[in-house]
Amino acid sequence: MHTLVFLSTRQVLQCQSAACQALPLLPRELFPLLFKVAFMDKKTVVLRELVHTWPFPLLSFQQLLQECAHCSRALLQERPSTESMQAVILGLTARLHTPETEAGTQPLCRKHALRVLDMTGLLDDGVEQDPGTMSMWDCTAAVARTCIAQQQGRTAEPGLDPVPVEVRVDLRVNRASYAFLREALRSSVGSPLRLCCRDLRAEDLPMRNTVALLQLLDAGCLRRVDLRFNNLGLRGLSVIIPHVARFQHLASLRLHYVHGDSRQPSVDGEDNFRYFLAQMGRFTCLRELSMGSSLLSGRLDQLLSTLQSPLESLELAFCALLPEDLRFLARSSHAVHLKKLDLSGNDLSGSQLEPFQGLLQAAAATLLHLELTECQLADTQLLSTLPVLTRCASLRYLGLYGNPLSMAGLRELLRDSVVQAELRTVVHPFPVDCYEGLPWPPPASVLLEASINEEKFARVEAELHQLLLASGRAHVLWTTDIYGRLAADYFSL
């Protein structure tokens, strides 16, 4: 539903030239809604002029594009329109080339000039969809081009210094875009357009390039470092980690493939691991740690004991955890603070099951998000875990994809989870009943790749739907879609 104010605003923007002429006459309290409507309806001429004449110190996408009293549509949950994003950037460029006395809807004093353009929080689903929308990679490139162009086009005209603006963005970089982004970060130093990175994700980037980028980032802005597909090993990580540790406000660190290098003598590997642990102890604000596909067997206590503060999100997917690792985690100060836990790819079917259940018990009061994909949990293990699992009263998301569960097991899970009032999403596997000729126990690779009987699965879906309806839980999503945007980011919990 839209309010009358929203509908009136949309009508005003139908004629963009007239709307631009009217902006100086409109109360500045209308600018936030004008921005949302213009962004939504791709009124690019108006959008550019709104940014150009923005009367507040802050223009924040997270504030302006969320659900509001006038419009329930949350634009941050959608891929942004390329046209609208380009219009914002053009408006920023125009603003930077406007003398301070001319900026705004009327002559403004310095304290009213736009100081911060916060473009963080845009949807980053990693899926190429409508070419009319802009991915995070495209957004990074567009902002980088603006920084470089601004530096190249600077002139030293007295009395016409542009109003400096800090642009906060989430940056994505790979081998192809590294040189371009590095030039943009260098260009923003001493420029009226100051680029500040909130979240950095680097994919398949060589060690020296990663270090070079980290050295260019503002230590006061960075919230997350996410290094993906870099396969650094302990040797590479020992080079990078001191550059990451200088970001004292870092709240999230996501590393992958941290393991020893078989080509090195073991003493070197141990020295690198001890150095890595010492650097991890420097973080004072870290709340999320992801160590996916890292060999941490028997070493989790060493890693977690070095941290200064309890974690709220811990991702240990495919880390070959041992029972003693899970026992330590259950007894640690981290367990009682965990909101998000990912143990995917760790076999929890044998001797790890009991310590895993102890960990669930310890985290039950705070846990919101639990990911257990490909953990070899069959009906027997699931049923024995249900009593402690259902004590997680605040749980919103449960991921069980890739486990050898039958329809009978899913049925019991659905019935017992009725007591979990906050549960909204369950990502479940295709029941083993829907496969033909499965080996037992079936390897995860077979469950992920083998064909299912579509007719049998249709009956499964129908039964689950009826059970949800009968229990008054039709609002809970039960799905096999592991590629949907269902798993919550830590900062959105």
Side-chain angles (χ1 to χ4, degrees):
M1 294 293 291
H2 296 149
T3 64
L4 183 58
V5 175
F6 177 92
L7 295 174
S8 299
T9 302
R10 175 170 272 176
Q11 189 62 37
V12 166
L13 298 187
Q14 290 304 308
C15 180
Q16 296 196 70
S17 59
C20 290
Q21 292 177 2
L23 284 182
L25 307 175
L26 296 176
R28 67 181 201 160
E29 288 75 18
L30 285 178
F31 271 57
L33 185 56
L34 287 165
F35 183 90
K36 181 174 184 178
V37 176
F39 197 97
M40 179 189 304
D41 293 346
K42 303 176 187 177
K43 301 297 184 182
T44 55
V45 177
V46 176
L47 196 56
R48 174 178 174 175
E49 190 63 19
L50 282 168
V51 177
H52 181 204
T53 60
W54 194 252
F56 304 105
L58 172 66
L59 195 163
S60 168
F61 279 22
Q62 294 192 66
Q63 292 180 9
L64 298 173
L65 300 182
Q66 284 286 20
E67 179 179 348
C68 67
H70 300 289
C71 174
S72 60
R73 187 172 172 185
L75 295 176
L76 281 181
Q77 296 176 13
E78 307 171 18
R79 286 274 289 268
S81 156
T82 299
E83 294 177 58
S84 294
M85 289 295 292
Q86 289 174 340
V88 170
I89 293 171
L90 288 172
L92 174 64
T93 303
R95 179 133 194 165
L96 290 171
H97 289 87
T98 300
E100 183 174 344
T101 55
E102 295 179 18
T105 57
Q106 54 186 343
L108 299 173
C109 59
R110 175 173 289 271
K111 68 178 182 179
H112 289 146
L114 178 65
R115 289 292 183 265
V116 177
L117 172 59
D118 189 342
M119 301 173 70
T120 61
L122 295 172
L123 179 65
D124 182 23
D125 57 9
V127 178
E128 291 299 331
Q129 297 174 344
D130 182 356
T133 62
M134 182 174 280
S135 68
M136 283 303 305
W137 299 96
D138 298 330
C139 183
T140 295
V143 173
R145 280 194 294 269
T146 304
C147 289
I148 295 170
Q150 172 63 27
Q151 181 68 10
Q152 293 175 345
R154 289 181 66 185
T155 57
E157 297 181 50
L160 294 180
D161 292 333
V163 181
V165 177
E166 176 182 297
V167 180
R168 298 175 185 168
V169 288
D170 298 328
L171 296 177
R172 305 292 178 263
V173 59
N174 55 20
R175 288 174 183 261
S177 61
Y178 161 73
F180 189 53
L181 183 56
R182 181 187 60 181
E183 183 181 355
L185 288 167
R186 286 176 173 173
S187 298
S188 76
V189 177
S191 168
L193 195 159
R194 179 169 169 255
L195 193 60
C196 290
C197 176
R198 185 189 67 161
D199 295 351
L200 174 70
R201 190 173 89 194
E203 295 189 4
D204 191 27
L205 204 61
M207 178 175 60
R208 64 182 182 278
N209 294 354
T210 303
V211 170
L213 277 186
L214 290 170
Q215 291 174 332
L216 290 170
L217 298 179
D218 190 323
C221 297
L222 200 64
R223 182 184 72 167
R224 168 179 281 165
V225 170
D226 185 350
L227 305 181
R228 302 189 181 193
F229 315 121
N230 297 286
N231 201 20
L232 295 169
L234 283 171
R235 184 178 182 181
L237 193 59
S238 66
V239 174
I240 288 176
I241 194 66
H243 298 280
V244 179
R246 77 180 181 89
F247 299 105
Q248 289 301 301
H249 299 293
L250 196 75
S252 172
L253 179 59
R254 304 179 64 84
L255 306 169
H256 303 273
Y257 303 105
V258 178
H259 48 74
D261 189 337
S262 60
R263 296 168 296 180
Q264 298 183 85
S266 60
V267 64
D268 290 344
E270 288 302 312
D271 287 345
N272 286 331
F273 188 66
R274 282 193 293 270
Y275 182 72
F276 168 67
L277 295 178
Q279 295 298 314
M280 290 296 293
R282 293 173 57 187
F283 294 107
T284 58
C285 298
L286 198 66
R287 293 295 178 268
E288 178 181 50
L289 179 62
S290 175
M291 300 286 291
S293 301
S294 300
L295 187 57
L296 295 177
S297 302
R299 290 187 152 188
L300 194 61
D301 59 337
Q302 295 174 264
L303 173 61
L304 298 184
S305 296
T306 64
L307 302 180
Q308 294 192 33
S309 303
L311 296 171
E312 295 182 348
S313 176
L314 181 59
E315 299 182 12
L316 299 170
F318 299 93
C319 286
L321 298 181
L322 300 176
E324 53 263 39
D325 295 314
L326 296 173
R327 289 192 189 97
F328 170 81
L329 181 54
R331 296 192 302 265
S332 73
S333 61
H334 303 284
V336 295
H337 292 86
L338 285 176
K339 296 179 180 179
K340 182 176 182 179
L341 177 64
D342 186 350
L343 297 177
S344 297
N346 293 285
D347 186 349
L348 302 178
S349 64
S351 58
Q352 288 93 335
L353 183 62
E354 184 178 347
F356 163 64
Q357 293 170 346
L359 173 57
L360 273 189
Q361 178 67 44
T366 57
L367 199 60
L368 305 176
H369 186 107
L370 178 61
E371 188 68 71
L372 301 172
T373 296
E374 296 182 44
C375 288
Q376 293 297 312
L377 293 171
D379 289 359
T380 302
Q381 291 81 28
L382 177 64
L383 293 178
S384 69
T385 304
L386 280 178
V388 65
L389 179 61
T390 53
R391 291 192 193 113
C392 300
S394 300
L395 195 68
R396 302 173 190 167
Y397 175 97
L398 176 61
L400 289 169
Y401 194 84
N403 287 289
L405 298 173
S406 71
M407 182 55 195
L410 293 180
R411 193 182 294 118
E412 289 298 318
L413 172 62
L414 190 151
R415 288 171 177 167
D416 285 13
S417 65
V418 168
V419 299
Q420 295 172 292
E422 300 301 317
L423 190 62
R424 293 294 179 270
T425 304
V426 177
V427 180
H428 64 87
F430 294 101
V432 292
D433 318 55
C434 297
Y435 294 88
E436 303 291 346
L438 275 181
W440 197 264
S445 58
V446 173
L447 292 176
L448 296 177
E449 297 172 8
S451 299
I452 64 165
N453 185 308
E454 296 290 349
E455 184 177 339
K456 289 182 178 179
F457 183 62
R459 290 198 293 269
V460 166
E461 286 189 304
E463 182 179 349
L464 290 175
H465 179 65
Q466 287 303 316
L467 288 171
L468 288 168
L469 288 175
S471 61
R473 305 277 284 169
H475 60 283
V476 181
L477 175 63
W478 278 61
T479 180
T480 57
D481 181 12
I482 59 172
Y483 299 107
R485 299 190 299 272
L486 302 173
D489 181 78
Y490 162 66
F491 291 110
S492 68
L493 291 175

